[in-house]
Amino acid sequence: MGTVYIDDHRPLDRINKDIYGQFSEHLGRCIYGGLWVGPDSDIPNTNGLRNDVVTALKDIQVPVLRWPGGCFADEYHWQDGIGPNSQRKTMVNNNWGGVTENNHFGTHEYFELLQQIGAAAYINGNVGSGTVQEMQEWVEYMTMNGTSPMADLRAKNGHPDPWPVKYFGVGNESWGCGGNMRPEYYADLYRRYQTFVRNYDPAHPPTKIACGPSNDDYHWTDEVMKIAGHYLDGISLHHYALPSITWSGKKGAALSFPEQEWVSLMQSANEMEELITRHSAIMDKYDPDKKKSLVVDEWGSWYDVEPGTNPGFLYQQNTIRDACVAALTLHIFQHHVDRVHLANIAQMVNVLQAMILTDGAKMIKTPTYYVFKMFLDHQDATALNTQDDLPDTVTTSVSKTDKGYLLSLVNYGLTVAEEVRYAFQTHTVTAAQGEILHSSTMDAHNDFEAPDVVQPEAMTAGLTHDAHQVTVTIPPMSVVTVHVQ
Ligand code: AHR
């Protein structure tokens, strides 16, 4: 038995819904085939975007979507992706499989996707191979109202009104695929490029995000904050969970993996706690009032690709193990609401820890998708301070919503069911409804033949309450949410 003491009279801060953000890169079948099929496709679509995928994404209320990369962003020239398709320049996607990119999905199609799913924009600009002028003109093209060369071009291409750009990233992984830079050099470049990310819509200035560290590169964070901290609103952090822990050699399979790789993956995912704590502490030196965000704009599990698929396409299956990674990571973000205001799981469809997998006209929702669905009411709720004596394999987060309280918990242990008691300090509990995502096999997953193997169910056992407490028995390999009134 573990107990979670809830300080229901001492709220922490709002859980920015943008921590439930997602990422869509021109990589493998994320955009092409996964989201975009084109208006002439036999697959039912609206303006080229798959109806089945859009409907599923609307149900999880994606707050923000990062695009066009990733590594792709630093090779992307936005002007190649506007105007009539027949005139769009093709390019080689050097990072991801060396395939030819036809640029049929560009700025207009991205904003159409945002409009259909109801998400805000997070554009990642090109520093590695793009010019300052190119970046400035892209921002002008998207956000300038009235008359200007770029606003006029946008109108000529069919969209007179500007689009809001909530977040703008200046380069991606500039220490690696984005240009192999040193932090001092990048920080200076950041200062220069961001100067020209103009604010054409004074009511909604884009939140500017600098390229931050990979994993535990604390030196990078320190240098960028020292040199460019004054000019940024957020700094990114990328951390992927790997069963192999390190990047060398094989990473491990998404399915049919040994028990040890369950354990090591959870260990790797849990490193997020230390990374956020230590990078935040460095940011505190330069930003003690915590005005700037640590933006975890790439996170999730990363395995070897499914056998027989293109190694450059990063297509992997998704199991109850991934659901546990999602839940424990979202809990970590919610424990750091003072610094983590935006995060983007990688990636939305058919790539890495995806919400959705597609095969031609078929589509399935993954266990990770269901975690995002179960956690919906955490979005923009108030995180509550808790203290607990939970076993190592159980984590939780508690928020105050407009309907009551949402408790979420994950038990990523493999064998033992855990009883968890939630003790409220002042609230009188009148009702509690639970949902559980569970499997008794480590690699339980949904596929195109059996799409509903792993999906949430109402909790009919293992949940009780009295006036001051709620008690949940959570089986191993499970994610549970409880709505408390
Ligand atoms: O998400 C896949 C890739 O991982 C991204 O393109 C890159 O930024 C990171 O290394």
Side-chain angles (χ1 to χ4, degrees):
M1 155 89 85
T3 302
V4 182
Y5 299 94
I6 305 172
D7 272 354
D8 42 355
H9 60 294
R10 224 157 42 97
L12 286 176
D13 213 339
R14 182 173 70 96
I15 298 166
N16 194 319
K17 66 178 178 186
D18 291 350
I19 67 167
Y20 287 86
Q22 306 216 9
F23 173 33
S24 60
E25 181 167 12
H26 288 239
L27 193 180
R29 295 184 300 111
C30 181
I31 302 279
Y32 296 104
L35 290 159
W36 172 261
V37 286
D40 301 329
S41 172
D42 291 340
I43 298 175
N45 69 85
T46 303
N47 297 329
L49 293 159
R50 294 179 69 126
N51 293 343
D52 53 354
V53 172
V54 165
T55 302
L57 292 172
K58 275 164 79 174
D59 283 351
I60 53 169
Q61 296 173 24
V62 178
V64 57
L65 180 61
R66 180 172 180 244
W67 174 80
C71 296
F72 182 79
D74 281 292
E75 287 202 299
Y76 184 60
H77 301 285
W78 69 273
Q79 297 234 17
D80 298 345
I82 56 170
N85 277 350
S86 58
Q87 287 164 31
R88 293 194 189 181
K89 202 171 145 190
T90 60
M91 65 177 282
V92 178
N93 191 333
N94 292 303
N95 287 290
W96 306 119
V99 292
T100 301
E101 157 72 50
N102 64 16
N103 273 311
H104 285 188
F105 188 94
T107 303
H108 290 250
E109 291 75 21
Y110 168 66
F111 281 99
E112 171 70 19
L113 170 62
L114 295 186
Q115 188 263 318
Q116 288 192 24
I117 64 174
Y122 176 3
I123 296 278
N124 210 116
N126 178 348
V127 170
S129 69
T131 64
V132 171
Q133 180 181 358
E134 186 179 350
M135 189 177 283
Q136 181 275 318
E137 288 183 340
W138 198 9
V139 175
E140 182 187 328
Y141 187 87
M142 293 183 284
T143 62
M144 175 80 189
N145 206 353
T147 299
S148 84
M150 291 301 116
D152 293 351
L153 182 59
R154 184 188 65 232
K156 188 174 149 230
N157 287 328
H159 207 279
D161 291 335
W163 297 287
V165 173
K166 187 167 185 183
Y167 299 104
F168 194 93
V170 180
N172 168 74
E173 297 196 349
S174 305
W175 37 262
C177 64
N180 287 308
M181 301 175 203
R182 294 171 305 116
E184 300 82 355
Y185 179 72
Y186 170 75
D188 279 340
L189 267 193
Y190 173 84
R191 288 170 58 136
R192 177 170 166 234
Y193 273 69
Q194 69 77 36
T195 306
F196 303 94
V197 176
R198 302 278 187 209
N199 177 10
Y200 294 106
D201 175 4
H204 305 104
T207 296
K208 296 179 191 174
I209 298 168
C211 166
S214 168
N215 296 296
D216 59 354
D217 186 352
Y218 300 111
H219 175 65
W220 181 281
T221 303
D222 207 339
E223 288 301 308
V224 174
M225 285 301 296
K226 182 164 50 191
I227 299 167
H230 177 66
Y231 303 91
L232 58 85
D233 302 307
I235 181 165
S236 66
L237 165 66
H238 290 181
H239 172 61
Y240 286 97
L242 309 169
S244 56
I245 305 281
T246 67
W247 286 93
S248 55
K250 286 178 81 63
K251 297 182 190 71
L255 301 177
S256 304
F257 48 83
E259 204 171 291
Q260 174 49 34
E261 290 187 8
W262 173 292
V263 174
S264 57
L265 182 76
M266 298 304 150
Q267 188 189 334
S268 178
N270 269 311
E271 283 170 9
M272 186 70 85
E273 171 63 38
E274 179 175 343
L275 293 171
I276 292 177
T277 302
R278 293 187 61 185
H279 286 294
S280 297
I282 294 166
M283 293 174 76
D284 287 349
K285 285 201 297 181
Y286 305 98
D287 174 38
D289 296 334
K290 297 187 189 291
K291 297 238 182 308
K292 325 250 175 205
S293 304
L294 184 59
V295 172
V296 190
D297 59 13
E298 288 188 30
W299 68 272
S301 52
W302 192 321
Y303 310 118
D304 298 326
V305 298
E306 289 307 311
T309 65
N310 187 327
F313 281 14
L314 308 187
Y315 176 75
Q316 63 189 41
Q317 249 296 357
N318 192 294
T319 69
I320 189 72
R321 182 173 62 153
D322 298 275
C324 291
V325 166
L328 78 85
T329 306
L330 292 165
H331 287 164
I332 293 171
F333 296 158
Q334 293 192 180
H335 297 156
H336 290 274
V337 280
D338 55 343
R339 263 294 175 214
V340 181
H341 307 142
L342 167 63
N344 305 80
I345 188 169
Q347 296 193 7
M348 192 177 234
V349 188
N350 290 333
V351 171
L352 299 176
Q353 190 173 349
M355 304 294 117
I356 286 171
L357 303 177
T358 66
D359 179 11
K362 294 188 235 162
M363 180 206 86
I364 53 171
K365 298 168 183 170
T366 66
T368 300
Y369 172 94
Y370 288 117
V371 172
F372 276 66
K373 189 149 192 226
M374 291 167 73
F375 280 39
L376 262 181
D377 283 347
H378 276 317
Q379 290 194 18
D380 274 345
T382 303
L384 294 181
N385 202 19
T386 56
Q387 277 164 18
D388 67 60
D389 56 5
L390 293 175
D392 285 349
T393 60
V394 178
T395 75
T396 188
S397 180
V398 179
S399 70
K400 173 99 180 67
T401 73
D402 49 10
K403 302 172 201 146
Y405 294 87
L406 178 60
L407 324 174
S408 55
L409 65 160
V410 54
N411 180 1
Y412 58 84
L414 285 165
T415 49
V416 181
E418 303 288 355
E419 190 174 275
V420 179
R421 185 173 70 94
Y422 287 87
F424 286 86
Q425 282 205 334
T426 57
H427 178 64
T428 303
V429 178
T430 55
Q433 302 90 28
E435 239 189 336
I436 181 164
L437 189 71
H438 164 70
S439 170
S440 41
T441 48
M442 290 191 301
D443 69 348
H445 60 280
N446 301 328
D447 63 25
F448 298 100
E449 282 65 53
D452 299 322
V453 172
V454 187
Q455 56 175 331
E457 290 169 7
M459 263 185 113
T460 50
L463 174 62
T464 58
H465 72 86
D466 62 26
H468 298 294
Q469 60 187 23
V470 173
T471 304
V472 183
T473 302
I474 181 168
M477 299 190 272
S478 306
V479 178
V480 164
T481 49
V482 184
H483 283 89
V484 177
Q485 289 84 34

